[in-house]
């Protein structure tokens, strides 16, 4: 309530100033002017409290300037009219009132101009870096396997387990790492005002694993009174506004759970630049709301409790991408020259970004960047934004230039199954064995998961589909090894002398070629040799001794360049 009262009182500064001028310049009518001014102030405060309570305008210079102007325009003429103060329109521009009106008008113009200049300041405030290439993807570091549409569909079907189901609907899904598992968390929210009045508090939240397409959602009972869908002072955003009316709230509050399974509402807030509403990326904070008591604790985004993955909301990450891509050389360049301008694609699952997790369990927001030129479907690179710090890393190495963008990857999936109307979702660009690769979820019209697609980003005809993440990844790597255009799938890997005894052998045939995969005794590295390079490899069997030159990668796979088989080659 303190935030609402503060904003309301600050909206009457110009009104007080003009009322005092009217009082000083009209001594014969001072009593009437004072009575009218006080009466109108009381009336105006009541109206403004309601307005501020509903719309929660942030206390910023531009907002206060607009609010003060509106209040003064509506109420000051009533002071003059109520006290019957004569107004001479011809000389009013020479008066104190006219001078203040000119100053206010110039201030509004100045704020508008500064908001354009501030685009570059927001760009400068972003913590950013560039790298040539992402770390390779390995079998333990796969993207979130289940698209949020598919997870939401499953959870919606499980809503019947919630007590008084008719009161609730499913809230916003939030990806989160809990222990060693990546899950989606989603609260149940009130469906309407009357449901809130009847229910008073929600029943709990759902959790569903995000890396297992066959997983089923689990409902956890945990009463919550302060939610996104609650009304009056039980609304989460209103609770945050009451404590931080001078911070802008970014997006809808999301739910995250701590190590004991207790839910908390997490709201990203930021300080704008002084004379504008543009975000200052050095002033990002997170408000943590206790959904039972409504208590609000605030932290710098990077210093939030460890269980919080998304201190920086997906909405703010999307804004950060836009500033980073468009305003690298300022506002004018973003319109006319467009030198080095990059436009973020909107293929993400949350506000045009997609949350992914690193090997260390840290969450990032992924977005690919495209050219501002129309009808160009190639990506310039991609960004990863750390979800706790807001730090942005741009990957724009040579291997990432000229590759298809996320829209192109989704279109490949869409064209693969036209009769089934399956579509691509959640495209994420990974580095698989040195090759930029789009990994896409394939969903049916109901949002249910059907397959994975691994698409070589530099070749729209190179796509592998499969039912499981590991199966599809292995099949994709096999095709990379068999495809001569990929430099045997081992670019940048040094040749290594290797010898050993064959433990397992698998021969794979396609329309174009045959390849042999094998394991050596005492090793788990999967070796692949193309029969065009070693024709006799087709006769490999367990127990054979081999000597070879191979390109061995860190991900547990290797491509054989030359091979000698004891008893066959000798």
């Amino acid at each position: 309530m303190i935030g609402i009262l503060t904003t309301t009182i600050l909206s009457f500064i110009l009104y007080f100033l003009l009322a005092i001028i009217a009082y000083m310049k009209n001594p014969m009518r001072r009593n009437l002017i004072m009575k009218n001014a006080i009466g109108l102030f009381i009336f105006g405060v009541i109206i403004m409290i309601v307005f501020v309570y509903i719309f929660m305008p942030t206390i910023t210079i531009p907002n206060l300037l607009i609010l003060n102007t509106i209040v003064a325009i509506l109420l000051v003429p009533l002071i003059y009219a109520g006290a019957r103060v004569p107004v001479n329109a011809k000389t009013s521009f020479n008066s104190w009132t006219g001078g203040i009106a000119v100053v206010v008008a110039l201030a509004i113009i100045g704020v508008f101009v500064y908001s354009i200049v501030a685009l570059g300041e927001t760009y400068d405030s972003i913590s950013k870096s560039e790298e040539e290439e992402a770390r390779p993807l390995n079998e333990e570091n796969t993207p979130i396997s289940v698209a949020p549409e598919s997870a939401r569909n499953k959870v919606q079907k499980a809503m019947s387990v919630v007590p008084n189901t008719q009161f609730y609907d499913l809230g916003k899904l939030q990806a989160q790492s809990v222990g060693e598992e990546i899950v989606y968390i989603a609260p149940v929210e009130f469906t309407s005002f009357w449901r809130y009045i009847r229910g008073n508090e929600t029943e709990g939240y759902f959790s569903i694993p995000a890396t297992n397409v066959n997983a089923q959602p689990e409902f956890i009972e945990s009463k919550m009174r302060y939610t996104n869908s609650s009304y009056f002072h039980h609304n989460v955003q209103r609770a945050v506004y009451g404590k931080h009316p001078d911070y802008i709230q970014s997006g809808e509050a999301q739910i995250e759970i701590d190590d004991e399974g207790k839910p908390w509402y997490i709201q990203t807030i930021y300080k704008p630049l002084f004379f504008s509403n543009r975000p200052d990326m050095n002033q990002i904070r997170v408000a943590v709301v206790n959904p039972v008591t409504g208590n609000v604790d605030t932290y710098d985004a990077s210093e939030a409790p460890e269980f919080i993955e998304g201190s920086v909301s997906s909405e703010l990450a999307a804004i950060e991408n836009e500033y980073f891509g468009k305003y690298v050389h300022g506002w004018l360049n973003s319109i006319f020259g467009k030198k080095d301008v990059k436009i973020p694609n909107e293929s993400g699952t949350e506000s045009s970004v997609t949350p992914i997790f690193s090997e260390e369990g840290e969450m990032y927001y992924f977005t690919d960047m495209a050219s501002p030129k129309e009808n160009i479907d190639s990506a310039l690179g991609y960004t990863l934004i750390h979800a706790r710090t807001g730090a942005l890393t741009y990957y724009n190495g040579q291997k990432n230039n000229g590759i298809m963008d996320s829209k192109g990857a989704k279109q490949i999936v869409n064209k693969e199954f036209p009769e089934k109307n399956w579509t691509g979702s959640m495209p994420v660009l990974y580095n698989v064995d040195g090759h930029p690769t789009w990994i896409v979820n394939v969903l049916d019209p109901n949002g249910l998961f059907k397959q994975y697609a691994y698409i070589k980003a530099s070749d729209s005809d190179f796509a592998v589909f499969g039912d499981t993440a590991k199966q599809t990844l292995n099949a994709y790597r096999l095709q990379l090894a068999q495809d001569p255009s990929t430099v045997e799938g081992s670019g940048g890997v040094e040749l290594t002398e290797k010898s050993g005894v064959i433990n397992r052998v698998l021969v794979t045939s396609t329309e174009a070629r045959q390849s042999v995969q094998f394991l050596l005794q005492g090793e788990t590295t999967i070796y692949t040799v193309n029969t065009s390079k070693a024709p006799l490899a087709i006769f490999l069997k367990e127990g054979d001794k081999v000597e070879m030159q191979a390109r061995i990668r860190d991900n547990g796979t290797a491509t054989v360049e030359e091979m000698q088989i004891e008893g066959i080659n000798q």
Side-chain angles (χ1 to χ4, degrees):
M1 195 65 183
I2 294 177
I4 294 172
L5 291 175
T6 302
T7 307
T8 299
I9 297 301
L10 291 175
S11 300
F12 282 82
I13 294 175
L14 183 58
Y15 170 83
F16 285 137
L17 182 59
L18 295 176
I20 290 171
I21 292 174
Y23 178 85
M24 298 300 294
K25 292 182 68 65
N26 298 276
M28 301 299 294
R29 292 180 171 82
R30 284 180 177 175
N31 288 336
L32 280 175
I33 290 174
M34 181 177 292
K35 290 180 181 179
N36 285 338
I38 293 174
L40 287 170
F41 171 69
I42 295 173
F43 171 78
V45 164
I46 294 173
I47 298 300
M48 186 57 68
I49 285 177
V50 175
F51 175 86
V52 173
Y53 185 83
I54 295 174
F55 295 102
M56 296 180 287
T58 306
I59 299 177
T60 64
I61 297 297
N63 290 355
L64 289 180
L65 197 56
I66 293 172
L67 291 174
N68 272 273
T69 301
I70 293 174
V71 169
I73 289 174
L74 293 177
L75 298 184
V76 171
L78 296 179
I79 294 178
Y80 282 80
R84 297 187 179 87
V85 177
V87 178
N88 188 340
K90 294 182 180 181
T91 60
S92 60
F93 68 90
N94 289 324
S95 65
W96 280 99
T97 302
I100 291 174
V102 171
V103 170
V104 170
L106 291 175
I108 292 175
I109 295 173
V111 165
F112 175 76
V113 173
Y114 177 74
S115 68
I116 296 176
V117 176
L119 292 169
E121 292 190 30
T122 295
Y123 172 84
D124 292 335
S125 72
I126 297 173
S127 174
K128 48 192 174 293
S129 61
E130 294 190 12
E131 292 189 15
E132 287 291 306
E133 190 175 346
R135 286 174 295 177
L137 170 69
N138 58 48
E139 294 181 11
E140 301 301 323
N141 180 27
T142 54
I144 297 175
S145 300
V146 183
E149 301 98 314
S150 182
R152 173 172 285 275
N153 185 288
K154 285 188 176 182
V155 176
Q156 289 281 18
K157 293 180 178 179
M159 283 290 290
S160 59
V161 303
V162 181
N164 297 312
T165 308
Q166 70 277 12
F167 283 15
Y168 309 110
D169 201 352
L170 191 63
K172 179 181 179 181
L173 262 69
Q174 170 64 23
Q176 183 180 355
S177 176
V178 179
E180 300 296 323
E181 189 175 30
I182 299 173
V183 299
Y184 284 118
I185 303 295
V188 293
E189 300 277 4
F190 292 111
T191 58
S192 67
F193 173 76
W194 297 113
R195 300 301 190 190
Y196 160 74
I197 295 296
R198 291 285 303 277
N200 199 28
E201 57 186 6
T202 60
E203 298 291 341
Y205 63 90
F206 280 94
S207 173
I208 182 172
T211 56
N212 182 356
V213 296
N214 298 314
Q216 295 302 316
E218 177 187 5
F219 179 71
I220 295 90
E221 289 192 17
S222 182
K223 301 286 187 180
M224 291 182 281
R225 195 170 190 184
Y226 290 79
T227 72
N228 282 322
S229 57
S230 298
Y231 288 79
F232 307 119
H233 62 286
H234 290 148
N235 180 268
V236 167
Q237 290 187 319
R238 191 161 285 120
V240 174
Y241 182 82
K243 186 171 183 179
H244 298 289
D246 55 337
Y247 278 79
I248 295 177
Q249 300 186 41
S250 174
E252 183 181 30
Q254 61 200 26
I255 194 172
E256 295 199 28
I257 60 174
D258 62 19
D259 296 335
E260 285 73 43
K262 176 179 173 56
W264 301 82
Y265 272 95
I266 311 302
Q267 178 66 63
T268 302
I269 59 178
Y270 62 85
K271 269 279 193 184
L273 298 170
F274 188 67
F275 284 108
S276 79
N277 287 338
R278 306 291 184 187
D280 183 348
M281 294 302 177
N282 291 317
Q283 296 288 333
I284 303 175
R285 305 190 75 189
V286 57
V288 182
V289 182
N290 187 318
V292 177
T293 65
N295 183 58
V296 180
D297 294 316
T298 311
Y299 308 87
D300 289 339
S302 60
E303 297 177 1
E306 291 186 4
F307 72 87
I308 296 176
E309 252 83 41
S311 299
V312 179
S313 67
S314 57
E315 291 85 357
L316 186 57
I319 292 174
E320 185 173 350
N321 272 323
E322 181 180 0
Y323 280 95
F324 171 77
K326 291 180 66 176
Y327 304 115
V328 57
H329 297 305
W331 174 69
L332 284 176
N333 180 72
S334 70
I335 297 176
F336 299 107
K338 297 187 178 182
K339 178 184 177 182
D340 297 327
V341 168
K342 304 169 283 290
I343 304 299
N345 268 320
E346 299 182 354
S347 301
T349 59
E350 296 181 12
S351 305
S352 78
V353 299
T354 298
I356 63 174
F357 286 80
S358 69
E359 294 179 35
E360 294 78 22
E362 296 180 325
M363 189 167 84
Y364 292 82
Y365 294 113
F366 166 86
T367 309
D368 65 305
M369 312 294 278
S371 169
K373 187 175 181 180
E374 295 182 1
N375 301 320
I376 300 294
D377 59 357
S378 61
L380 300 177
Y382 63 95
T383 63
L384 292 180
I385 296 176
H386 197 285
R388 277 182 63 91
T389 66
L392 182 151
T393 304
Y394 179 51
Y395 297 95
N396 66 336
Q398 183 177 0
K399 289 185 178 181
N400 294 324
N401 284 327
I403 61 177
M404 79 177 76
D405 61 11
S406 57
K407 292 184 293 185
K410 291 173 67 175
Q411 288 172 2
I412 288 174
V413 175
N414 297 346
K415 293 176 181 178
E416 184 73 15
F417 307 100
E419 72 286 352
K420 298 179 180 179
N421 202 25
W422 290 358
T423 56
S425 176
M426 196 177 172
V428 178
L429 186 65
Y430 273 84
N431 176 354
V432 179
D433 303 342
H435 302 283
T437 302
W438 285 108
I439 301 176
V440 188
N441 274 229
V442 183
L443 307 181
D444 70 9
N446 295 320
L448 292 177
F449 172 87
K450 290 300 179 182
Q451 283 189 333
Y452 296 103
Y454 279 58
I455 304 168
K456 191 176 179 183
S458 59
D459 184 356
S460 60
D461 294 325
F462 196 112
V464 176
F465 295 82
D467 296 328
T468 68
K470 188 171 183 179
Q471 171 196 358
T472 314
L473 178 60
N474 290 338
Y476 180 76
R477 280 175 166 154
L478 176 59
Q479 287 207 22
L480 283 176
Q482 295 173 345
D483 189 351
S485 68
T486 66
V487 195
E488 275 62 36
S490 305
V493 181
E494 297 293 332
L495 281 172
T496 302
E497 297 283 347
K498 192 72 179 177
S499 63
V501 178
I502 300 296
N503 186 30
R504 294 285 189 276
V505 181
L506 174 66
V507 178
T508 303
S509 299
T510 65
E511 294 181 0
R513 60 186 65 84
Q514 281 185 316
S515 65
V516 180
Q517 288 184 294
F518 58 88
L519 300 176
L520 297 180
Q521 289 182 3
E523 293 188 20
T524 58
T525 301
I526 301 173
Y527 292 88
T528 301
V529 57
N530 196 320
T531 55
S532 63
K533 290 188 173 184
L536 296 178
I538 194 72
F539 300 107
L540 270 178
K541 66 179 185 298
E542 295 176 13
D544 281 346
K545 294 181 179 180
V546 296
E547 294 183 359
M548 54 191 172
Q549 289 187 325
R551 301 184 190 273
I552 304 174
R553 295 180 289 269
D554 293 335
N555 56 34
T557 64
T559 303
V560 177
E561 300 293 329
E562 296 182 11
M563 171 182 284
Q564 297 292 323
I565 308 171
E566 185 176 308
I568 297 180
N569 294 102
Q570 299 174 352

